[in-house]
Amino acid sequence: MITPVLPTYARVPLSFEKGEGAYLFTNEGEAYLDFGSGIAVNALGHAHPHLVKVLSEQAQRLWHTSNLFVIPGQERLARRLVEATFADTVFFTNSGGEALECSIKMARKYHASLDRPERFRLITFEGAFHGRTLATLAAGGQQKYLDGFGPVVPGFDQVPFEDLAAVKAAINEETAGILIEPIMGEGGIKLVDPQFLRHLRALCDEHGLLLIYDEVQCGTGRSGKLFAHEWANALPDIMAIAKGIGGGFPMGACLATENAARGMTAGSHGSTFGGNPLAMAVGNGVLDIILGPEFLDQVQEKGILLKQKLARICDDYPDVIEEIRGKGLMMGLKCKVPNTEFAAACLAEKLLVVGAGENVVRILPPLVVDLETLDEGIERIERACKNIRASREITAEAS
Ligand SMILES: *Cc1c(COP(=O)(O)O)cnc(C)c1O
């Protein structure tokens, strides 16, 4: 018999009642160290006092008015995002997938507004993940997610990861732009070579295409910069964000230059909930902290420490971990053993991590993690490695 909750997730049979900083607590009061951050969402950890305060204050005053009216929190958050980035304008959504939908529609509309509606195709990359809507699934191009859902939304041309020649070959008279994650998240924490992003920028300029970044996962301070592409010095025309900017409240946004947004006028796009006062209070609250003095420097420093210590574990346990990748507090361990076995060994040490493609386990501590807690997590990872090795030696001896 089907469960009341649609059984689309393979869940860990564990639930939590309370969170505080980097820790989650079960009903029985058992503490788990959360180095998955709800898949890079809880950027400021759990129950951050400032977010609790701004959300509760907003909840006392006003929840929802719809976008029929001016929402002051939107005006403020948009202005701050515009000041902090390449963008001139922002559309607010409830999720990453919707932020991508807006980005895709905007790119198509841009060319249509220039009297070339035939330019609607986007070049995307193998292994990418852009969401679960029909269009974003087509953009990601992963067969396992597309199977059984009818005709694939047209307009996406997939090329191999970091293959510039393939990108060039894929550009034709129907191409509208290029869509890429500056750090691939679900695909296995793959950093795109900064040089490659600059090449894409140059190609877009040369061919009149729009460069679109998906920073839903790698953005909002995760990499140690406000947005990951800042490491590469290659600005986009459009960028989708979500996850961390909501700090646990469902929200996302599509950021764009004035030029890229030229086709988007009154009536061309919309969302009932997008940018609602509660979400905007939290988004502004997240920026209050992340844009604070030295916050991102600290993320970078902690990221370097984390990487060094993980590299040492990788050296000590080459039979368990093959490679360390990532930037800032967005790290990936490419495993020698199945990543599910690695995640289970971490869980046994009461450490939460997240799997990803290419047999990677993601280590995504909250950006506010302190050094002591970071070390605690690293020690648990090391113990997990030790236990994996021990259990495999026992199995090898027995056979
Ligand atoms: C999570 C994610 C999405 C989809 O976001 P949802 O909020 O689940 O719709 C899109 N792109 C990337 C890179 C993501 O990590």
Side-chain angles (χ1 to χ4, degrees):
M1 204 167 62
I2 196 162
T3 48
V5 174
L6 192 73
T8 56
Y9 300 106
R11 298 177 197 266
V12 176
L14 194 62
S15 72
F16 301 100
E17 179 188 62
K18 196 176 89 155
E20 201 182 313
Y23 284 92
L24 280 170
F25 301 89
T26 64
N27 294 351
E28 290 77 38
E30 274 190 313
Y32 283 78
L33 183 49
D34 184 6
F35 274 20
S37 298
I39 321 185
V41 166
N42 301 100
L44 305 186
H46 299 282
H48 189 284
H50 183 62
L51 296 189
V52 171
K53 177 170 171 278
V54 294
L55 180 60
S56 334
E57 280 175 5
Q58 185 60 48
Q60 303 289 333
R61 285 200 306 269
L62 183 65
W63 289 24
H64 181 84
T65 57
S66 89
N67 285 301
L68 295 172
F69 304 98
V70 174
I71 297 174
Q74 272 188 31
E75 309 280 321
R76 174 152 185 261
L77 184 53
R79 200 165 52 240
R80 294 172 85 187
L81 287 170
V82 162
E83 272 168 21
T85 68
F86 73 97
D88 302 311
T89 188
V90 183
F91 180 87
F92 292 105
T93 69
N94 311 292
S95 68
E98 288 168 280
L100 265 303
E101 285 279 340
C102 180
S103 306
I104 295 163
K105 286 178 72 177
M106 186 184 285
R108 293 181 175 194
K109 194 79 166 179
Y110 166 80
H111 291 287
S113 81
L114 291 169
D115 275 333
R116 45 194 204 217
E118 72 284 358
R119 289 220 213 174
F120 73 101
R121 305 189 69 84
L122 293 179
I123 295 168
T124 62
F125 294 86
E126 285 169 13
F129 180 81
H130 299 298
R132 298 287 202 127
T133 66
L134 288 168
T136 56
L137 278 182
Q142 298 208 38
Q143 207 50 48
K144 65 174 177 185
Y145 295 142
L146 286 162
D147 267 351
F149 293 113
V152 178
V153 173
F156 300 94
D157 299 307
Q158 287 247 306
V159 299
F161 183 73
E162 268 187 6
D163 186 338
L164 195 65
V167 175
K168 286 180 182 164
I171 296 173
N172 61 34
E173 60 287 349
E174 291 187 346
T175 306
I178 302 172
L179 168 60
I180 188 167
E181 294 163 78
I183 304 176
M184 207 182 253
E186 302 297 313
I189 312 290
K190 290 169 79 167
L191 297 177
V192 177
D193 183 356
Q195 186 70 31
F196 185 75
L197 289 183
R198 290 193 287 271
H199 282 312
L200 293 185
R201 178 69 269 171
L203 269 181
C204 285
D205 292 342
E206 184 186 333
H207 294 273
L209 308 178
L210 297 175
L211 182 57
I212 308 170
Y213 288 156
D214 179 348
E215 291 228 20
V216 168
Q217 191 161 154
C218 61
T220 322
R222 192 44 61 194
S223 74
K225 297 270 191 193
L226 184 57
F227 292 105
H229 69 265
E230 294 169 29
W231 290 107
N233 237 330
L235 299 182
D237 301 290
I238 302 173
M239 177 170 74
I241 67 172
K243 293 199 166 94
I245 187 68
F249 199 95
M251 73 162 290
C254 170
L255 285 65
T257 62
E258 181 168 14
N259 181 46
R262 56 172 287 143
M264 304 302 272
T265 50
S268 56
H269 195 47
S271 165
T272 300
F273 290 128
N276 113 337
L278 296 170
M280 295 301 99
V282 179
N284 274 304
V286 168
L287 281 195
D288 290 342
I289 305 292
I290 290 190
L291 295 179
E294 284 163 37
F295 185 89
L296 292 169
D297 294 337
Q298 277 188 48
V299 174
Q300 287 181 27
E301 283 160 23
K302 288 183 281 198
I304 290 166
L305 266 175
L306 176 63
K307 193 168 194 172
Q308 283 169 347
K309 293 188 177 182
L310 290 175
R312 186 181 50 72
I313 297 176
C314 180
D315 286 344
D316 290 348
Y317 293 90
D319 47 328
V320 182
I321 303 171
E322 190 176 319
E323 190 194 357
I324 307 293
R325 9 161 118 157
K327 190 109 191 153
L329 291 175
M330 185 173 187
M331 299 301 300
L333 311 179
K334 187 164 166 53
C335 299
K336 267 279 175 60
V337 301
N339 61 353
T340 46
E341 182 180 340
F342 193 96
C346 290
L347 190 65
E349 294 298 322
K350 299 213 158 43
L351 177 73
L352 308 178
V353 296
V354 195
E358 298 196 351
N359 204 36
V360 164
V361 161
R362 278 174 280 182
I363 309 291
L364 310 163
L367 307 183
V368 295
V369 69
D370 59 43
L371 291 179
E372 199 184 325
T373 310
L374 195 62
D375 275 339
E376 176 61 39
I378 292 161
E379 279 167 26
R380 292 184 192 199
I381 291 170
E382 183 153 18
R383 284 206 295 275
C385 289
K386 202 167 148 191
N387 292 341
I388 289 170
R389 177 182 285 171
S391 75
R392 292 197 156 231
E393 277 167 359
I394 291 164
T395 322
E397 274 166 26
S399 62

